[in-house]
């Protein structure tokens, strides 16, 4: 037995609820306050702190680039650990540092430059074999750890 479909009430049009005007205004206000507070937080860094942030990001990137190219470790562990530290301590991310304080003012361009610079350095050392012979991994680890220690001493 075939049942006939019952027509919908209201002419078949479905009504979607719009978010209330008060909720939309509250969301906008909250977004503006959070954005403004993040902008003010970025302004409160002194020149030495900014320089320490830049050095830490560069050190983490180089250490991860070396691990990726010469050790087959593509995890990006050092950059991730630095990112956690920056978020917890300064309320900024690695990408935020690259966007705000690297000369390129764009994290993609900054990362491309860092990758090119590291590739040139590695080539000058004679590739991964030359880097290993000269102890580049140890140097990069020490630079990274010193950069983290400088950041820890800043606040």
């Amino acid at each position: 037995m075939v049942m006939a479909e019952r027509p919908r009430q209201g002419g078949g049009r479905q009504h979607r609820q719009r978010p209330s005007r008060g909720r939309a205004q509250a969301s906008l206000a909250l977004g503006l306050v959070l954005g403004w507070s993040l902008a003010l937080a970025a302004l409160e860094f002194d020149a030495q702190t900014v320089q320490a942030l830049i050095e830490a990001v560069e050190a983490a990137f180089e250490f991860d680039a070396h691990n990726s190219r010469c050790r087959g470790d593509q995890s990006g562990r050092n950059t991730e650990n630095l990112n956690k530290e920056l978020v917890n301590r300064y309320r900024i991310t690695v990408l935020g540092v690259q966007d705000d304080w690297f000369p390129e003012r764009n994290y993609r361009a900054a990362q491309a430059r860092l990758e090119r610079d590291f590739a040139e350095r590695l080539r000058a050392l004679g590739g991964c074999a030359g880097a290993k012979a000269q102890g580049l991994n140890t140097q990069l680890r020490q630079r990274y750890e010193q950069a983290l220690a400088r950041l820890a001493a800043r606040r």
Side-chain angles (χ1 to χ4, degrees):
M1 167 165 46
V2 175
M3 307 268 302
E5 241 182 80
R6 197 171 69 182
R8 293 184 187 168
Q9 292 179 346
R13 290 181 54 180
Q14 293 181 353
H15 178 70
R16 286 191 318 181
Q17 283 187 331
R18 274 199 236 157
S20 68
R21 183 177 285 238
R23 188 181 305 159
Q25 288 174 342
S27 296
L28 178 63
L30 180 62
L32 290 173
V33 168
L34 288 174
W36 183 253
S37 66
L38 289 174
L40 288 177
L43 295 176
E44 71 183 40
F45 293 122
D46 62 2
Q48 290 93 5
T49 303
V50 169
Q51 189 59 40
L53 290 167
I54 291 170
E55 288 173 7
V57 169
E58 287 177 343
F61 189 90
E62 280 191 0
F63 196 20
D64 284 341
H66 174 267
N67 287 340
S68 175
R69 284 181 174 239
C70 296
R71 302 183 79 202
D73 177 6
Q74 309 237 349
S75 67
R77 180 179 318 126
N78 301 299
T79 300
E80 288 301 317
N81 290 341
L82 175 63
N83 201 47
K84 289 176 193 174
E85 184 70 23
L86 295 181
V87 168
N88 288 333
R89 188 178 299 266
Y90 296 100
R91 301 287 184 241
I92 192 165
T93 63
V94 167
L95 295 180
V97 171
Q98 291 172 339
D99 272 342
D100 294 342
W101 295 303
F102 273 56
E104 295 86 359
R105 297 290 218 197
N106 178 292
Y107 77 91
R108 287 188 176 121
Q111 289 174 355
R113 177 184 55 84
L114 290 171
E115 185 66 38
R116 275 192 316 273
D117 292 349
F118 181 74
E120 288 174 17
R121 181 178 181 186
L122 193 60
R123 199 172 310 118
L125 291 172
C128 291
K132 184 175 182 178
Q134 294 184 26
L136 182 62
N137 188 48
T138 304
Q139 293 170 17
L140 293 174
R141 177 181 288 115
Q142 288 173 347
R143 180 179 176 215
Y144 172 73
E145 290 171 354
Q146 289 170 355
L148 286 181
R150 277 193 299 278
L151 281 178
R154 300 284 320 151
R155 277 210 178 171

